[in-house]
Amino acid sequence: MAMLYNLDPFSAMEIFYGGEKNGVWNGDIIKNEKKRGLVLPYAVREFMENFGYLDVNRNEGSFQFFHPDDMWQFGLETDSGEVPIIVIGIFGNYLLGIRTDTEELKAAFGERTDDGTEWSPADVNFSGILTTMCVSLLFKSEGHEIYKDGYEIYSEIKRQGGERSKILPGYGCPQHFSLNYNEENERFYIAEFEEYGVEIVNLHTAPKKVFTLDELEKQFNKEFYENSMNCDYNHALQIQLKIMEGMKDAEPLDLVHHYKLAARCFWALGKSEEAVSWYEKGLSIVESHLEDAPDQVADFYHAMANFFEDTKQYEKSEEYYGKELAVLQKYFPEDVYKIGRIYQSQATFLVRNKENPERAIEACNKALEEFQKNPKGCKYEIARTQQLRGEAKRLKKELNKA
């Protein structure tokens, strides 16, 4: 474990958020490139894709980059010719533009006046802007501390095992900060230097980000649901485990849904034993709350039945589909959608695995029988089931020819 010195802002944000990312969808960036010719510099794009929706970019009225849809570009006339500018956000009281004709991405600031916006190129670069945003975020962290006395500053650096000579002024922004991180106590040490010198005038310390349960839920939903076609189930699982750790004192029934999601992640990762373990942990809870929460019990049975069907444990699958059906028929006999869904799920797994097409056709017929009791409310399920039945019939013909 050691002190990491003079971190670039991307590395600092990576550490601060513990590797968690939440940013603008890549498709939105590509759309603006194709439709508007708005090509973001790589560093701007990298920030927006990874951190655009995290609180480092949520300092409204202070430092914030716009969504790409709200960025625009123009040519700024200067004494040396036209300078290409992309307006990417706000920086304090100014509009923030990035010059795309300089490798270090120099900034331009726009001051709003009654006559419009007056733009001025500045000796500030994009990395300096990001450093300022990081510093602003860290200063607002709960647990932020500050050392102002020179003796205290140097004593604290030494106490943490740091070397003052390795902490250097950062450049590229009006205020020269250096971002440092102590891996042992997981705290940032932000050295604030005098404007044109090498003396540290203030030393700030701040902890890593601790995500709230609400923030973790949003991250999980983004990965698991919004990115369902390309879900990184290992990432989703790690988030879910953090959520459950934060809910360890919650009522058992409140945890059941999360046990089911953890099991689903293990299932997708091909770790069946772990999946069964989490399902069984949740099952012991929901079954003891049948009278209080029959809907949760039915949903849990359905998830387990799907798991066993997909892993070709058909007897167990039939057992849990049967348990779900019994709960629905007793407590929700009019819920034809969920009853039909049982048979549709059976057909889906059989067709997907190209097994027993006759059984799949039978399951489709039973599903349609239920869905057609409410044709308006189940029109999409009817169409899907009819499609499944057609696939099962084609599979039957193929197997008969073979």
Side-chain angles (χ1 to χ4, degrees):
M1 306 295 276
M3 181 79 81
L4 305 178
Y5 297 98
N6 310 309
L7 294 167
D8 66 86
F10 281 105
S11 297
M13 285 184 282
E14 184 86 14
I15 293 172
F16 180 76
Y17 288 115
E20 287 299 327
K21 296 174 181 177
N22 188 2
V24 174
W25 179 47
N26 176 262
D28 283 342
I29 296 174
I30 295 174
K31 174 190 68 177
N32 278 282
E33 289 180 355
K34 291 182 176 179
K35 292 187 176 182
R36 301 172 57 211
L38 183 75
V39 181
L40 298 182
Y42 177 78
V44 178
R45 180 175 184 150
E46 184 181 13
F47 174 83
M48 295 305 296
E49 287 185 332
N50 293 312
F51 307 106
Y53 291 149
L54 291 172
D55 44 8
V56 69
N57 196 40
R58 285 290 176 268
N59 289 309
E60 295 186 16
S62 181
F63 310 120
Q64 184 178 23
F65 297 163
F66 303 143
H67 185 280
D69 288 353
D70 299 317
M71 296 178 182
W72 73 92
Q73 54 193 341
F74 72 99
L76 175 63
E77 293 294 337
T78 68
D79 294 339
S80 56
E82 187 176 271
V83 174
I85 301 286
I86 296 179
V87 182
I88 65 170
I90 58 172
F91 194 75
N93 297 321
Y94 299 93
L95 282 171
L96 172 64
I98 293 296
R99 294 176 55 176
T100 57
D101 63 331
T102 59
E103 185 176 347
E104 64 270 38
L105 299 178
K106 292 285 188 177
F109 295 118
E111 183 176 9
R112 295 184 176 101
T113 69
D114 293 339
D115 298 324
T117 302
E118 294 183 1
W119 287 91
S120 302
D123 190 25
V124 179
N125 62 37
F126 184 68
S127 179
I129 297 291
L130 288 187
T131 296
T132 301
M133 294 174 71
C134 283
V135 168
S136 176
L137 175 69
L138 290 165
F139 285 1
K140 294 177 181 177
S141 297
E142 185 175 346
H144 166 244
E145 297 177 355
I146 183 171
Y147 299 85
K148 295 184 178 182
D149 177 79
Y151 176 77
E152 286 187 345
I153 290 172
Y154 292 99
S155 296
E156 178 63 15
I157 293 172
K158 186 176 181 179
R159 191 172 72 86
Q160 295 304 324
E163 296 181 39
R164 165 63 189 89
S165 61
K166 293 184 178 181
I167 301 176
L168 307 175
Y171 295 97
C173 61
Q175 292 172 287
H176 301 317
F177 294 105
S178 173
L179 293 165
N180 308 277
Y181 182 71
N182 187 321
E183 294 180 303
E184 186 171 349
N185 66 3
E186 299 187 323
R187 287 185 74 86
F188 285 90
Y189 288 79
I190 308 102
E192 183 179 352
F193 288 82
E194 57 188 358
E195 190 168 355
Y196 296 105
V198 294
E199 288 299 316
I200 300 175
V201 294
N202 291 308
L203 180 70
H204 304 260
T205 77
K208 285 175 61 175
K209 169 75 174 179
V210 177
F211 286 98
T212 65
L213 284 175
D214 183 59
E215 289 172 325
L216 289 170
E217 288 274 10
K218 288 178 180 178
Q219 289 174 21
F220 179 83
N221 292 341
K222 185 176 179 63
E223 183 66 77
F224 189 83
Y225 296 111
E226 296 176 34
N227 191 36
S228 59
M229 296 298 292
N230 300 292
C231 179
D232 180 342
Y233 285 100
N234 186 59
H235 180 219
L237 175 62
Q238 297 310 309
I239 298 173
Q240 193 56 233
L241 293 175
K242 290 179 184 177
I243 291 173
M244 290 188 291
E245 174 64 22
M247 295 180 64
K248 59 185 178 183
D249 297 325
E251 291 296 323
L253 198 59
D254 293 334
L255 283 166
V256 165
H257 176 65
H258 299 282
Y259 291 162
K260 185 169 63 174
L261 289 172
R264 180 66 185 89
C265 290
F266 276 118
W267 166 13
L269 291 168
K271 298 181 178 181
S272 295
E273 290 185 8
E274 291 89 339
V276 169
S277 174
W278 282 99
Y279 278 130
E280 289 179 345
K281 187 180 292 189
L283 184 64
S284 64
I285 296 172
V286 292
E287 286 189 327
S288 65
H289 290 80
L290 177 59
E291 296 298 325
D292 303 327
D295 54 337
Q296 278 189 259
V297 177
D299 285 343
F300 208 89
Y301 283 151
H302 190 82
M304 292 189 69
N306 283 351
F307 165 75
F308 287 122
E309 185 88 43
D310 188 56
T311 53
K312 300 184 180 182
Q313 301 176 65
Y314 296 121
E315 288 187 9
K316 287 187 175 181
S317 177
E318 288 290 345
E319 175 189 348
Y320 284 101
Y321 280 135
K323 287 185 175 184
E324 180 193 9
L325 184 60
V327 172
L328 292 174
Q329 288 176 334
K330 179 177 180 180
Y331 294 94
F332 311 102
E334 302 301 320
D335 195 341
V336 296
Y337 168 80
K338 285 190 175 181
I339 293 173
R341 184 184 63 165
I342 296 173
Y343 302 114
Q344 187 193 61
S345 295
Q346 290 175 308
T348 298
F349 288 111
L350 289 169
V351 171
R352 182 184 300 165
N353 293 317
K354 296 186 177 182
E355 294 184 3
N356 202 335
E358 289 186 358
R359 180 167 170 256
I361 293 169
E362 180 184 356
C364 285
N365 289 336
K366 289 182 178 179
L368 287 170
E369 182 180 344
E370 295 298 329
F371 291 143
Q372 285 168 348
K373 293 176 182 177
N374 181 14
K376 187 175 180 180
C378 299
K379 61 180 180 180
Y380 295 113
E381 299 307 318
I382 290 171
R384 173 62 186 139
T385 306
Q386 289 172 335
Q387 180 185 11
L388 268 174
R389 185 168 61 180
E391 292 174 16
K393 288 180 178 179
R394 285 192 292 274
L395 177 61
K396 181 179 179 181
K397 287 182 181 180
E398 291 174 8
L399 294 178
N400 287 338
K401 287 180 181 178

